[in-house]
Amino acid sequence: MLKTSKRGEDINVAAWRLDTLTRTAVFASFDGGVPALVHFGAKLPLSENLVTLAKLSVPNVSGGQLDPMVPLTLMPTAMDGWQGHPGIIMTDKYSVEVLPSWNACSADVHSQNKMQWTLQSSDLMPACALTFAANLADHGILSVQVEFENYGDLRLQWLCNGAIPIPEYMPRIIDHGGRWTGEFQRQERLFTVGMHVRESREGRTGHANFPGMIFASDACDENTGECMGITLPWSGGHKIIAEEIPDGRRQVQVGFDANTMSCKREVKIAWSGNGLNGLSNTMYSVPREFSRGKLATRNVKRPVHYNCWEAVYFRHSVEELKQIASLAASVGAERFVLDDGWFKGRNDATTSLGDWTVDATKYPQGLMPLIDHIHQCGMQFGIWFEPEMVNIDSDLYRAHPDWVLGPQNQPSGRGQFVLDLSKSEVTDYLFKCIASILQKYPANYIKWDHNRILSGHAPQQTPALYALIDRLNAAFPNVEIESCSSGGGRIDYGILERTTRVWLSDSNDALERLRIQHEASRWIPPEIQGSHVGPRTCHSSGRIIPMPFRAWVAASRHMGMEMDPRELTPQETTQLKAVIDWYKQNRNQMFASKLLRLDTNDAEVLAEMFVTEDQSRFILFRGQMGASAQIAARPLKLTGLKADCMYEIKMVNPNDVVYTVNQNRMVEMNGMMPLCLSGAALMSGALQTSNAFPLTMHVFEGVAL
């Protein structure tokens, strides 16, 4: 039946609300159509007129537009009169596009913070169904889930996880690009008419495409103003579309490879009225909730790692590794991770991936002599795998060339190819190989690597990977898994549902790491970010960085080391051990605190605070990356403190800071330390640091009196 225009008062609107103590989400269906999200943000009063609110979400009609009222639904289509990007695109078996139309939706309210809607296709199109579910968790995350069921011959080309409206007072788009060893590079632009698209076609999350986007008001900074964030918990190819249509409305759609007959997917959304820090600390609840189920992350210490990769690479010698382990333990390492090179025939990157048995030449008595020594040094043992990959020069490939994912004429990457995890015989083989190592050797940690992009999207790969990791987690509940994918190649809330740590970057350059960690903290909690003290001369940049800066950058996250400890001078050993000792004493407090980034007004300075929930203590890191434009160091404006409380402040590392000639004599001579200032003064910019050389970290501790 042809549609004709209706006046606003003639539209039949059904509305529902989901509530927590501080948030409200309102959904509405217009004339029984697909539901729309018409409000998500601050808590609305219970007396709010939801129908009026819903009707006001639809703009006026002007020339050059269709007549009916056109809301932005969770699944907008051209058949409904939507002018922007559709939420679903599908074709029939002849590759002809099908314009979907849906019958009236039925709603099922589960509780005050959960509900579900079901829609069936109309008689005008092949049989299919949509089910939407929404959940507003107590921590403030709104999850919208979409399930598409195909009963006919339809082929999906695109299915979003629910079209989400972006308020018109949030014109800024913030996302992250990057590259290998240069991940989480912040990008910002303004909405303009048309689409801003971010897409990963690697078959994994990708170094350049963290699957999240932030929308912010003009006045929003780290601590003030409104913003909204959206992320896709998925570890494969994906696309994010942020769009403004000519009438001024804005939407964001998130989705992933859609060439499946039926599928189910989810998007997670957060809102903050307290700036970008408020958004981050809300978002942290998602990966923290996952990891608590396995490790109670915030209540269990994060052990100091030692990883042998940048010390020996493929050159494994039991006696040499024992010597390195002893030295690593002497400066404070609590876990030794045996990296690439331990398995049969693995002497370089071109061979042996897939042959997961211990190399008898390098380890004639197996791994136990090394593991026994590691345990005698008081350290746990971890081991490296790259299960999804295979080299042509391997026993596995010679036996099963048909297990490779993709065409035979595809290019190699790092001398390797990807295994097709959608084949049950492949995942059974991998489970058996990994399980046999974990059963034979007392490892409690896996560094799970993934050093090659896929040749094409291969959407079947991601759920198969999840199933394999889930199977290992169930069989070995005391073994942690780190997501390492050439560093930042697979970091997202999908993989973090199954792992407890991410390797942010293959770069151990502390200067680059400081920036990567700072920007990654918009999405990833600090205790989940692995950060290692690298060699004196960085292997990825050639930069020579002093030990105190390398050590303090690592100490602000889950700390580790990844260099040859035999290169350490006596002074470097003393400096490193002191920072590790400090980390051990403070990690539980840090990782139970709120991480708050500071606006420094200096492009060469990055600063962060860890503030306890009761605001009684804080730890402040101020990293001087390069030479500031101005002579005097800009005062730091702290945040998150009690205004009427006095704080005693001391500098943790006065001997690590190299000052310029324009120094604050009283601070340098410790003449005024400890300082006593009110929270109000500190949050007004009273803390003045010394002028320091580049590659310097100031660390302060504050305690409420």
Side-chain angles (χ1 to χ4, degrees):
M1 188 173 81
L2 296 177
K3 295 180 181 179
T4 58
S5 61
K6 288 185 179 181
R7 295 177 302 177
E9 59 267 25
D10 297 327
I11 299 292
N12 179 32
V13 178
W16 308 269
R17 62 183 293 161
L18 306 178
D19 288 287
T20 67
L21 293 175
T22 60
R23 301 285 188 271
T24 296
V26 178
F27 293 87
S29 174
F30 297 79
D31 276 342
V34 178
L37 177 63
V38 297
H39 171 83
F40 176 52
K43 180 79 175 276
L44 298 177
L46 295 177
S47 59
E48 193 71 64
N49 189 321
L50 302 184
V51 172
T52 300
L53 183 71
K55 289 183 176 181
L56 290 174
S57 70
V58 182
N60 296 322
V61 175
S62 181
Q65 296 179 293
L66 299 176
D67 293 334
M69 292 183 65
V70 183
L72 171 57
T73 69
L74 292 175
M75 197 62 63
T77 66
M79 282 295 291
D80 296 325
W82 176 249
Q83 293 178 308
H85 193 279
I88 184 169
I89 303 173
M90 51 190 171
T91 62
D92 61 19
K93 61 182 179 181
Y94 303 108
S95 299
V96 176
E97 184 172 353
V98 175
L99 294 177
S101 180
W102 310 97
N103 287 327
C105 73
S106 60
D108 182 11
V109 180
H110 295 287
S111 66
Q112 70 171 7
N113 59 0
K114 287 184 181 180
M115 69 177 311
Q116 181 174 299
W117 303 268
T118 301
L119 300 100
Q120 293 290 336
S121 58
S122 70
D123 295 336
L124 302 176
M125 59 182 288
C128 59
L130 280 176
T131 300
F132 296 95
N135 174 41
L136 183 56
D138 290 340
H139 46 58
I141 298 289
L142 176 64
S143 297
V144 176
Q145 193 176 83
V146 179
E147 184 172 6
F148 175 80
E149 295 181 86
N150 186 3
Y151 309 120
D153 295 319
L154 295 171
R155 297 293 186 271
L156 278 175
Q157 304 299 316
W158 168 253
L159 179 72
C160 77
N161 298 25
I164 306 302
I166 304 302
E168 294 182 26
Y169 58 84
M170 294 184 184
R172 297 161 57 196
I173 305 172
I174 301 169
D175 58 28
H176 289 87
R179 54 169 172 78
W180 178 72
T181 68
E183 295 84 351
F184 281 98
Q185 296 183 24
R186 175 171 167 162
Q187 303 175 148
E188 183 168 338
R189 58 186 46 78
L190 296 175
F191 270 103
T192 56
V193 174
M195 294 189 299
H196 168 59
V197 180
R198 295 300 311 277
E199 183 175 17
S200 171
R201 302 184 65 85
E202 295 185 8
R204 61 179 180 178
T205 318
H207 294 80
N209 292 285
F210 177 80
M213 205 172 270
I214 296 171
F215 308 95
S217 64
D218 284 323
C220 182
D221 57 21
E222 297 290 6
N223 299 302
T224 59
E226 290 189 60
C227 54
M228 180 183 291
I230 185 168
T231 190
L232 172 70
W234 177 252
S235 307
H238 62 272
K239 183 186 291 186
I240 305 177
I241 300 169
E243 180 183 40
E244 180 175 318
I245 66 173
D247 65 24
R249 284 182 292 175
R250 297 165 179 156
Q251 67 162 339
V252 61
Q253 295 184 14
V254 183
F256 56 83
D257 320 60
N259 58 344
T260 49
M261 297 295 289
S262 299
C263 57
K264 189 175 185 178
R265 54 193 57 187
E266 182 182 26
V267 66
K268 293 188 179 293
I269 315 154
W271 171 88
S272 168
N274 298 310
L276 298 169
N277 279 325
L279 188 70
S280 295
N281 279 281
T282 299
M283 279 293 187
Y284 290 170
S285 60
V286 178
R288 279 176 170 163
E289 184 176 10
F290 296 149
S291 58
R292 279 193 198 117
K294 187 173 175 63
L295 293 173
T297 303
R298 299 184 76 188
N299 298 317
V300 174
K301 68 180 183 180
R302 310 295 285 190
V304 177
H305 278 222
Y306 177 78
N307 184 291
C308 69
W309 176 243
E310 293 195 20
V312 298
Y313 293 104
F314 298 106
R315 190 190 70 252
H316 285 217
S317 158
V318 174
E319 292 308 313
E320 186 178 13
L321 287 169
K322 284 182 179 180
Q323 181 186 10
I324 289 171
S326 297
L327 290 172
S330 71
V331 293
E334 298 166 303
R335 174 182 285 153
F336 185 101
V337 179
L338 185 66
D339 212 287
D340 192 358
W342 59 267
F343 50 99
K344 179 183 176 183
R346 182 67 163 177
N347 296 310
D348 58 48
T350 67
T351 182
S352 301
L353 281 175
D355 299 342
W356 299 110
T357 57
V358 176
D359 189 297
T361 302
K362 297 176 182 177
Y363 297 94
Q365 300 177 51
L367 296 179
M368 281 312 302
L370 175 61
I371 295 174
D372 286 341
H373 180 80
I374 289 168
H375 287 168
Q376 289 167 10
C377 292
M379 295 186 291
Q380 303 169 3
F381 175 68
I383 192 166
W384 179 95
F385 284 94
E386 194 172 0
E388 298 152 82
M389 303 295 159
V390 66
N391 291 121
I392 290 179
D393 184 7
S394 67
D395 294 342
L396 178 63
Y397 181 82
R398 285 184 282 270
H400 297 287
D402 55 311
W403 284 9
V404 171
L405 177 70
Q408 290 187 343
N409 62 348
Q410 64 178 297
S412 65
R414 197 174 179 259
Q416 62 196 53
F417 295 87
V418 183
L419 293 170
D420 187 348
L421 301 187
S422 68
K423 297 175 184 274
S424 60
E425 59 269 34
V426 175
T427 51
D428 286 346
Y429 169 81
L430 294 174
F431 177 84
K432 180 180 178 181
C433 289
I434 298 170
S436 66
I437 294 294
L438 296 179
Q439 288 163 352
K440 186 173 183 179
Y441 298 110
N444 69 347
Y445 188 86
I446 291 175
K447 179 181 177 183
W448 188 296
D449 218 335
H450 181 281
N451 285 299
R452 184 194 188 277
I453 64 174
L454 278 59
S455 298
H457 282 219
Q460 74 278 7
Q461 193 80 347
T462 300
L465 166 71
Y466 289 167
L468 174 59
I469 297 178
D470 290 345
R471 188 176 171 188
L472 286 164
N473 278 331
F476 303 95
N478 296 319
V479 176
E480 292 184 60
I481 298 177
E482 172 190 275
S483 176
C484 173
S485 184
S486 304
R490 188 157 61 194
I491 298 175
D492 57 80
Y493 286 7
I495 201 67
L496 282 173
E497 189 172 350
R498 297 157 175 89
T499 59
T500 58
R501 191 181 197 248
V502 296
W503 184 231
L504 277 184
S505 176
D506 275 347
S507 173
N508 276 321
D509 182 319
L511 184 61
E512 185 68 10
R513 270 284 178 154
L514 180 64
R515 182 201 58 74
I516 293 171
Q517 292 171 186
H518 189 78
E519 283 302 315
S521 72
R522 304 200 180 279
W523 303 97
I524 310 300
E527 72 273 17
I528 291 175
Q529 300 179 30
S531 184
H532 294 175
V533 180
R536 185 183 304 117
T537 301
C538 177
H539 292 193
S540 62
S541 69
R543 190 180 279 126
I544 298 175
I545 296 178
M547 173 56 75
F549 190 74
R550 281 184 277 156
W552 285 113
V553 168
S556 66
R557 297 297 189 265
H558 184 184
M559 188 178 191
M561 296 172 280
E562 190 164 343
M563 45 48 177
D564 191 337
R566 295 171 296 185
E567 79 170 23
L568 295 173
T569 66
Q571 182 184 30
E572 288 174 332
T573 300
T574 300
Q575 292 169 331
L576 177 58
K577 190 176 187 306
V579 178
I580 290 175
D581 289 344
W582 179 92
Y583 169 82
K584 291 178 179 179
Q585 294 166 14
N586 289 276
R587 57 188 162 193
N588 287 346
Q589 177 198 327
M590 281 203 307
F591 299 149
S593 299
K594 284 187 177 180
L595 172 61
L596 302 172
R597 295 173 301 272
L598 301 183
D599 293 302
T600 63
N601 298 310
D602 186 338
E604 298 298 335
V605 174
L606 291 178
E608 301 172 345
M609 293 176 64
F610 291 84
V611 183
T612 58
E613 291 290 341
D614 63 3
Q615 301 170 293
S616 64
R617 296 189 66 192
F618 69 83
I619 297 169
L620 168 64
F621 292 88
R622 179 194 181 276
Q624 183 80 40
M625 300 184 295
S628 297
Q630 71 285 345
I631 294 175
R634 296 195 187 279
L636 284 176
K637 209 174 172 185
L638 276 54
T639 188
L641 305 177
K642 290 182 180 178
D644 58 353
C645 184
M646 298 298 295
Y647 290 87
E648 182 179 273
I649 305 152
K650 67 176 182 179
M651 189 172 177
V652 174
N653 62 334
N655 296 326
D656 293 339
V657 178
V658 181
Y659 300 113
T660 69
V661 293
N662 299 295
Q663 52 195 278
N664 183 328
R665 299 295 300 180
M666 289 186 289
V667 172
E668 181 219 2
M669 299 303 294
N670 216 24
M672 292 181 67
M673 287 288 180
L675 301 172
C676 287
L677 289 168
S678 70
L682 290 168
M683 291 188 292
S684 297
L687 184 60
Q688 173 72 59
T689 64
S690 305
N691 306 333
F693 279 140
L695 304 179
T696 296
M697 181 77 79
H698 288 87
V699 184
F700 294 95
E701 292 179 0
V703 180
L705 298 177

